[in-house]
Structure formats: structure tokens, C-alpha cells
């Protein structure tokens, strides 16, 4: 008997605005709960989630907003800094945003009365991806429709600049070897750069366009996943520059690809918001079909919990959370 994979969200949180992007903090912040940030049309909200899957005395999901920061312009992307700590005195919340005005804003907050931000200017078109150096948190990498990948320091100065052949869609930093950066381009090429030598060292080809999103598997950095056209694609970079496996997944063009943070066989994809809803799917490499299918009214954003097989997707005035098995 085939189990129906279609499921409603396990938990939802109501939000005051449309959610364009949502990100769990991927780093240990020294607190048992998981920090989450989401962005709307003109603000960023920092919240704390604790799930019954991790705390026995919690029923369902315990959510608390820690801070709402006025942003003044639509938030398109959010990246957490590993310097974020809740167990320091005072606490440090640090993250950056990309926005509709083509600027990056670097925020630092103590969750009380002190919130500072710095503007990083230089991109001349929309910014599609941004990420902090995961070890020290002293660098930010960003990619844009302006056909560049740029590296910034926390003072807002550009320290590196790579010219791309097409719009940059995704950027990922290697978790250990922080001189390695992965950049995915809309034309289907994924390149790995050596930041010390300031040059590309390896490239992968999807042979499909448009490539909309790619992600480096942090549990196994020989694996890269992406969505291009209607398909998801996975590479083993030790074997070939062409995908090892690919499958059609979203009828209405695939939008985002994200590996699970805890399992190298688990990943999630979203489709473009359709007329009514956008589809969200969780896949396991050992299964031919998606192991979970969800639907979100005009969904956007996708992020995995740091320690649980749990995903969040933003949408119309709410966050939706799905839980799967390992």
C-alpha cells in the first residue's frame, strides 16, 4: 500500500506581513532553541522556535518573537552570522539582508535597545544569494543579476570580485576550508573558487537552464544539488562534472533547492508560486518519489532546522513547518 505523501504543515506561525524569505540560524548560538529570521515588505523579525521533537515539555511548537527590526524596503535574502550568540552577555544577534534596492545591510543587535546596521553598496542589480564565512563570520559573499560574485568584509569594503558569465543565483561557503566558495550561475554552470588564489578551480554543468538555485551539501561536501528547469539535479564532484542523478519535480518550474543540515540523503525543493499555491517537496535519495509533498499559498523561502529533519517555508502572513522522518 503506497502511503500518500501529501501533508499539511505540522505547525504554523502567524505573521503580520507577507513573508518573502525565512532562515533558521544554521549555527549553534549557545541556546537550546533555534533562532529564526524572516523578512517581509519592510521589516525583519528575529524569533525563537522550540519544537516538541527536541524538548519533551513543549507541546507542538513554542514560538516567541525576540525583535522586530524596521527595514524600510522589501527583504529578499537573509544570512546568519556564526558570531550570533545568545549565551553571551549581552547577547549578540548578527545577520545580513539583501534587499530590493540592491544593497546589503549588516545588522548587529543586543535584542534590547542597541541595533546597528551598515550598508554594503556595489551591486548594480538584484542580489540572489548571500552567505557569511561559516568559521569566523568575518566575510560575506553575495551573487547578483549583475553577473558578479563579491566578497565583503564587515567594514563594508569589497575584498574580492569575480565576473560571471550570467546572473549569479546561489553562493555557498565550504564549512571547513573557508578559502573555497561555490557559485551557481543561471546559465547552468556551477564554479568553485579558491579565494586565496582568486581563481576558479572546478566547474560543474547542469546542461539545463535556467538554473535557479544550488546548494553545497554540508554533511558531504562532494555532493552538490540544484534545481534547473523543472528538475532537481545532484552531482558527485569526485566523479563527473555532469549530474549523477536528476528527476523532474515541479511542473511550474523549480525554484529553490536545500540540503538537510543533518542527513546527506535528504533535501527539499520548492516550485514557483503558481496561481493558487506553490508546491514544496522533501526528497530522499533512496526513494524514487518525494517522501513529503506540501502546498503553501504563495510560498517563498525555504530553510532546514539545524538539528531536526524539519523545514520552514514562508508565505502569506504565515510560516509553515513540515517534519519528516530521517
Amino acid at each position: 500500500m503506497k502511503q500518500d505523501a501529501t501533508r499539511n504543515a505540522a505547525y504554523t506561525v502567524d505573521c503580520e506581513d507577507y513573508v518573502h524569505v525565512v532562515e533558521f540560524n544554521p549555527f549553534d548560538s549557545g541556546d537550546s532553541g533555534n533562532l529564526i529570521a524572516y523578512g517581509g515588505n519592510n521589516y525583519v523579525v528575529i524569533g525563537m522556535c522550540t519544537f516538541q521533537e527536541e524538548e519533551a515539555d513543549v507541546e507542538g511548537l513554542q514560538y516567541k518573537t525576540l525583535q522586530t527590526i524596521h527595514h524600510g524596503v522589501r527583504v529578499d535574502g537573509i544570512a546568519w552570522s556564526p558570531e550570533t550568540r545568545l549565551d553571551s552577555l549581552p547577547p549578540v544577534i548578527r545577520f545580513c539582508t539583501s534587499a530590493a534596492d540592491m544593497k546589503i545591510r549588516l545588522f548587529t543587535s543586543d535584542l534590547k535597545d542597541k541595533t546597528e546596521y551598515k550598508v554594503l553598496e556595489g551591486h548594480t542589480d538584484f542580489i540572489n544569494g548571500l552567505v557569511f564565512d561559516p568559521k569566523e563570520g568575518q566575510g560575506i559573499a553575495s551573487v547578483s543579476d549583475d553577473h558578479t560574485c563579491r566578497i565583503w568584509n564587515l567594514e563594508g569594503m569589497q575584498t574580492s570580485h569575480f565576473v560571471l558569465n550570467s546572473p549569479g543565483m546561489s553562493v555557498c561557503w565550504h564549512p571547513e576550508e573557508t578559502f573555497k566558495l561555490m557559485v551557481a550561475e543561471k546559465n547552468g554552470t556551477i564554479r568553485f573558487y579558491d579565494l586565496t588564489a582568486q581563481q576558479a578551480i572546478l566547474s560543474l554543468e547542469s546542461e539545463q537552464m535556467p538554473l535557479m538555485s544550488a546548494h553545497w551539501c554540508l554533511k558531504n561536501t562532494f555532493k552538490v544539488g540544484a534545481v534547473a528547469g523543472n528538475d532537481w539535479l545532484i552531482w558527485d564532484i569526485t566523479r563527473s562534472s555532469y549530474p549523477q542523478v536528476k528527476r523532474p519535480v515541479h511542473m511550474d518550474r523549480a525554484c529553490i533547492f536545500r540540503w538537510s543540515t543533518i542527513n546527506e540523503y535528504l533535501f527539499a525543493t520548492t516550485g514557483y508560486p503558481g496561481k493558487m499555491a506553490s508546491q514544496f517537496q522533501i526528497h530522499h535519495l533512496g526513494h524514487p518519489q518525494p517522501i513529503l509533498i506540501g502546498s503553501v499559498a504563495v510560498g517563498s523561502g525555504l530553510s532546514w532546522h539545524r538539528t531536526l529533519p524539519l523545514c520552514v517555508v514562508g508565505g502569506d502572513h504565515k510560516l509553515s513547518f513540515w517534519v519528516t522522518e530521517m
Side-chain angles (χ1 to χ4, degrees):
M1 155 130 173
K2 187 174 168 291
Q3 187 190 355
D4 182 24
T6 309
R7 261 183 270 169
N8 290 330
Y11 315 110
T12 57
V13 168
D14 291 328
C15 309
E16 287 180 18
D17 191 0
Y18 182 83
V19 178
H20 290 289
V21 60
V22 55
E23 292 290 343
F24 276 118
N25 179 10
F27 306 108
D28 180 4
S29 62
D31 194 278
S32 61
N34 216 275
L35 284 166
I36 192 169
Y38 64 90
N41 287 325
N42 53 20
Y43 69 91
V44 179
V45 174
I46 305 297
M48 173 66 86
C49 296
T50 312
F51 297 90
Q52 65 184 17
E53 282 79 2
E54 55 188 340
E55 293 278 336
D57 53 355
V58 169
E59 223 173 283
L61 158 64
Q62 199 169 25
Y63 171 80
K64 180 177 156 208
T65 293
L66 302 179
Q67 189 175 18
T68 301
I69 298 170
H70 186 71
H71 196 264
V73 58
R74 188 187 77 220
V75 184
D76 289 337
I78 295 173
W80 282 95
S81 162
E83 292 193 294
T84 293
R85 299 302 299 178
L86 289 175
D87 55 358
S88 62
L89 276 173
V92 178
I93 297 282
R94 181 168 285 162
F95 63 95
C96 62
T97 62
S98 58
D101 61 1
M102 301 173 246
K103 294 177 183 145
I104 296 168
R105 289 165 177 79
L106 169 62
F107 288 89
T108 307
S109 162
D110 64 0
L111 292 178
K112 291 196 171 64
D113 36 24
K114 198 173 166 202
T115 302
E116 304 167 343
Y117 77 92
K118 187 173 262 109
V119 178
L120 284 55
E121 290 186 69
H123 281 299
T124 55
D125 209 332
F126 287 118
I127 299 162
N128 296 314
L130 73 169
V131 64
F132 269 90
D133 142 28
K135 270 271 211 278
E136 308 291 329
Q138 296 307 296
I140 297 165
S142 58
V143 288
S144 159
D145 279 351
D146 67 10
H147 295 211
T148 67
C149 168
R150 298 168 197 246
I151 316 284
W152 318 74
N153 63 23
L154 300 193
E155 279 65 63
M157 306 294 293
Q158 274 185 55
T159 56
S160 299
H161 178 127
F162 298 104
V163 177
L164 313 176
N165 296 325
S166 68
M169 302 307 290
S170 299
V171 58
C172 300
W173 223 303
H174 191 287
E176 303 299 328
E177 301 161 22
T178 52
F179 61 90
K180 286 185 187 166
L181 196 72
M182 183 201 92
V183 174
E185 297 189 33
K186 200 169 189 173
N187 67 4
T189 303
I190 299 173
R191 279 196 190 81
F192 296 84
Y193 291 90
D194 178 327
L195 296 179
T196 324
Q198 298 272 318
Q199 62 184 17
I201 44 178
L202 178 75
S203 69
L204 308 175
E205 294 296 334
S206 70
E207 299 187 293
Q208 265 170 280
M209 289 166 55
L211 187 152
M212 297 310 291
S213 167
H215 198 213
W216 211 340
C217 180
L218 300 184
K219 287 299 280 183
N220 175 355
T221 50
F222 292 140
K223 286 164 109 167
V224 171
V227 286
N230 298 349
D231 300 0
W232 59 254
L233 313 97
I234 290 175
W235 290 260
D236 173 345
I237 64 175
T238 62
R239 291 196 176 173
S240 168
S241 57
Y242 296 102
Q244 203 183 1
V245 52
K246 65 176 186 177
R247 296 226 169 85
V249 55
H250 296 283
M251 297 304 295
D252 50 357
R253 277 231 330 262
C255 183
I256 307 178
F257 182 106
R258 290 284 183 275
W259 289 105
S260 155
T261 43
I262 54 173
N263 184 328
E264 63 172 278
Y265 299 99
L266 209 55
F267 60 96
T269 58
T270 63
Y272 265 82
K275 292 183 178 62
M276 297 301 289
S278 50
Q279 214 185 35
F280 154 77
Q281 298 185 5
I282 294 181
H283 313 265
H284 189 286
L285 277 177
H287 296 264
Q289 301 296 327
I291 58 171
L292 189 152
I293 300 171
S295 173
V296 199
V298 287
S300 53
L302 169 64
S303 183
W304 284 90
H305 190 280
R306 189 175 66 84
T307 55
L308 295 173
L310 181 150
C311 273
V312 61
V313 177
D316 189 8
H317 290 75
K318 71 175 177 196
L319 300 175
S320 302
F321 300 86
W322 274 270
V323 186
T324 185
E325 296 74 42
M326 285 285 279

